[in-house]
Amino acid sequence: MTLPMALPGFDAALDEVVAAVLAADPTGRRTGTVMRQSFDQLYDGGRTGVYHVDQLSPTQKTHLGTFVEVNMAKEFNFETVGVKFDYRIAGHDVDAKFSLSGGWMLPPEVIGHLCLVMQASDDEARFDIGVVRASAEWLTAGGNRDKKVALRAGHRDKITWIHRGARMPPNVLATLARADLDIILSKKSGQQKVNEIFRRAPGRRISRAAIETLAMQRDPLKRVRRNGGARTPLAAEGMIIMNGDYTWQRNIVTALGAEPPQEGEFVSLHITPAETSWTGPQIVIEGRAWRRGTPAEALANASELPEILQEAGKADAGT
C-alpha cells in the first residue's frame, strides 16, 4: 500500500487524516459502496421511478451531499463532532464536502481547516476522494450569499488524493444504450421491464435498486426468482440469472468470463453447451460443459439447461 504523495512534514495533520482513511479503505471499495448507496438513496427508485441525476431538481441534487456525509460516517465509524465540523479523524477536525462537479463550496468557519472532498459520476461509475486544507490564499474571494468560497482552479493540486477515478458499483440504468433503455421502459408491467433488462444487459451487474426502480415494488427477489419471476421465461431462452449473494453463483459468472455480481446484484448470461474443442471460459454442470453463447445458440439449447441453473435460488453451496 502506497500513501498518496504529500509534502513530508508540510502538514502533519493532513498526512495523518489521509493515512487513516487510506488504511480503512485501501482499495476504495468501501467508499465506492457508500457512493452507490447514496445515489440510490437519493433516487428512491422503488417509489419514484427515478434512476438518473438529470431527473432531479437542483434542490433535490443538493441532498446527495448530506447522504454521502451521513453514509461515510456510518461506514467508517467516523466520530461526528457537531455543527462546525462533520468528523474527527485521527484526532483532527475534518469537514466533509461532496460535489457532483468538484466545485466544493466552503463556509467561512472551515477556512484554515481540513476538508475531506469527494465527487462522483453515476454515468461513469467513478469517484474521487481526497483531503485539502482550506487555506485562505487558495480560495476564491467574495463568496456567495452564504459567504461560502471555493478552491481556486489553480490550486486543485493542493488536494492530496486518496482515491482518484476509483470505481463504484455501476448504475446499469444510467449506462445502458438509450435505445435499449427505451424498450425496457416501454414495457407495460414491472415484471416485463425486469425480464427485459436481463435480456438487454447480459454480463452486466444489475443492482437490487435497479430491479426495484423497474418493478416499482420493494421485493426485487420476487421479480427475479423462478415461478413468477424473470428466471422462468429467461430459462426458456437459455439464459441464467446469477445472484451475487451466493458464492457458488459468483463463481459461475467468473468461470464464464464475466464480471461477477456483488452482494445485492445479479448478472444474466446466455449459455450453450461447449464443444469438445472449446478452450475458452466454461463451467461443468452434471458432467457437461457450458459456455457463454449468442442468444440464438442459447435459445436452441434452452431445453437442456441444467435445473440448478434455472432455479439458482438455492442456499449458498459454498463452492
Side-chain angles (χ1 to χ4, degrees):
M1 180 173 69
T2 302
L3 191 68
M5 293 299 295
L7 296 176
F10 174 71
D11 193 333
L14 184 149
D15 290 348
E16 289 169 8
V17 171
V18 168
V21 176
L22 185 61
D25 191 19
T27 65
R29 181 189 62 80
R30 294 175 67 187
T31 303
T33 298
V34 167
M35 296 297 173
R36 175 76 276 132
Q37 176 187 358
S38 300
F39 274 101
D40 291 342
Q41 191 175 351
L42 178 66
Y43 298 154
D44 193 15
R47 288 195 315 107
T48 67
V50 170
Y51 57 87
H52 195 279
V53 290
D54 289 348
Q55 296 172 288
L56 301 171
S57 70
T59 300
Q60 289 173 314
K61 291 177 185 179
T62 63
H63 296 309
L64 181 57
T66 301
F67 288 138
V68 171
E69 173 192 327
V70 171
N71 291 335
M72 286 290 289
K74 289 180 180 178
E75 175 65 29
F76 294 100
N77 198 28
F78 289 149
E79 181 184 357
T80 52
V81 293
V83 177
K84 187 173 181 181
F85 298 101
D86 295 312
Y87 311 136
R88 182 170 288 117
I89 303 173
H92 304 289
D93 290 338
V94 179
D95 201 48
K97 292 298 172 192
F98 177 87
S99 170
L100 286 167
S101 63
W104 305 281
M105 298 307 296
L106 311 176
E109 59 266 25
V110 305
I111 294 177
H113 296 278
L114 295 174
C115 294
L116 184 70
V117 292
M118 298 167 280
Q119 60 187 32
S121 167
D122 206 12
D123 288 335
E124 298 177 5
R126 299 280 178 179
F127 73 91
D128 305 323
I129 180 171
V131 182
V132 67
R133 187 171 291 281
S135 298
E137 64 269 27
W138 301 342
L139 305 175
T140 56
N144 60 12
R145 290 184 303 173
D146 299 323
K147 298 183 179 180
K148 290 183 178 180
V149 293
L151 188 67
R152 293 180 186 273
H155 290 291
R156 288 176 65 88
D157 61 348
K158 305 302 191 301
I159 301 170
T160 298
W161 294 108
I162 300 170
H163 297 295
R164 195 82 192 272
R167 292 186 66 189
M168 67 187 221
N171 175 1
V172 68
L173 296 176
T175 55
L176 269 179
R178 186 70 231 184
D180 286 325
L181 184 60
D182 286 344
I183 291 173
I184 292 167
L185 296 178
S186 72
K187 299 300 180 181
K188 292 183 178 180
S189 72
Q191 185 62 67
Q192 290 173 332
K193 292 175 184 177
V194 172
N195 295 355
E196 198 64 27
I197 194 172
F198 283 122
R199 289 190 184 100
R200 293 186 173 274
R204 301 277 296 273
R205 292 162 56 189
I206 299 174
S207 69
R208 186 173 307 216
I211 300 301
E212 289 178 350
T213 301
L214 294 174
M216 297 292 284
Q217 181 176 322
R218 291 292 185 177
D219 182 9
L221 294 182
K222 182 177 181 180
R223 297 302 180 190
V224 176
R225 61 178 176 243
R226 200 176 178 187
N227 297 325
R231 282 196 173 105
T232 299
L234 295 188
E237 300 171 21
M239 293 197 79
I240 60 174
I241 301 174
M242 298 287 100
N243 186 341
D245 292 349
Y246 301 129
T247 303
W248 70 274
Q249 296 186 35
R250 293 196 302 270
N251 289 346
I252 283 175
V253 176
T254 300
L256 287 170
E259 183 178 8
Q262 301 305 303
E263 185 176 352
E265 296 179 336
F266 304 90
V267 166
S268 61
L269 297 170
H270 295 93
I271 67 169
T272 191
E275 302 84 354
T276 55
S277 60
W278 178 259
T279 58
Q282 60 184 288
I283 56 171
V284 177
I285 301 291
E286 300 170 355
R288 189 173 189 183
W290 294 79
R291 62 170 173 83
R292 292 178 68 179
T294 65
E297 289 174 326
L299 180 62
N301 295 286
S303 62
E304 304 173 49
L305 197 63
E307 182 73 14
I308 189 173
L309 297 184
Q310 296 183 49
E311 176 63 31
K314 305 295 185 182
D316 196 333
T319 57

